[in-house]
Amino acid sequence: MRPHLLIVWMVFCLPLKPHTQEQLPLNVLGIRSEVYGLESLPGLELTYHTGISNVARVEVDFGFQRSIYTDFMHVAAMIEGVWTIKNNLKWYIGFGFQIGYYQTKFEDLSLAEGFGGGPCLPLGIEYDLVPLNVPLSVSLNVRPIVPILSDDLLINGIAYAVGIRYVFKE
């Protein structure tokens, strides 16, 4: 399934049932890595998010994204809405901004580097293992970025990523 089909499916086919907990977890720390696909190569991010209500959380990531053209070390900050699909399965969508240092290798072997970034749109599904007495959640997501701060930043973030996060006890 292509990322744009995943986005259409998640936006139009999933119910918008509010999360059933009183509050989303306050402290969640994990890693996220894009998988091979389209023009993406594996990268690695350290992620942290905290619940600010029963349907909203703030996420901050620091990491390294790669494509066949660009290496991008960045920091991202996002706010996300989280809804329950069924039991421990949830979906989320949000808005944020990603900024960092990039190095782009063009086909003519020239090189461009500098600071760049732009708005990003995180979208994903996650399975929460906490109700099963395992303090973890796993996710599959995409995070498209619109690189408005540089014309040479050839990375769009439209690649599947997998994540695993540790949920700290309250």
Side-chain angles (χ1 to χ4, degrees), residues 69-72 101-105 111-114 152-153:
Y69 303 109
T70 301
D71 294 332
F72 186 42
Y101 180 79
Y102 68 90
Q103 190 173 54
T104 299
K105 300 164 220 74
L111 184 68
E113 57 188 339
D152 296 324
L153 178 58

Side-chain angles (χ1 to χ4, degrees), residues 3 7 32 98 118-123 142-146 156-159:
I7 292 168
R32 176 183 181 270
Q98 211 171 323
C120 58
L121 179 73
L123 175 67
V142 295
R143 187 171 64 212
I145 178 175
V146 179
N156 58 19
I158 302 179

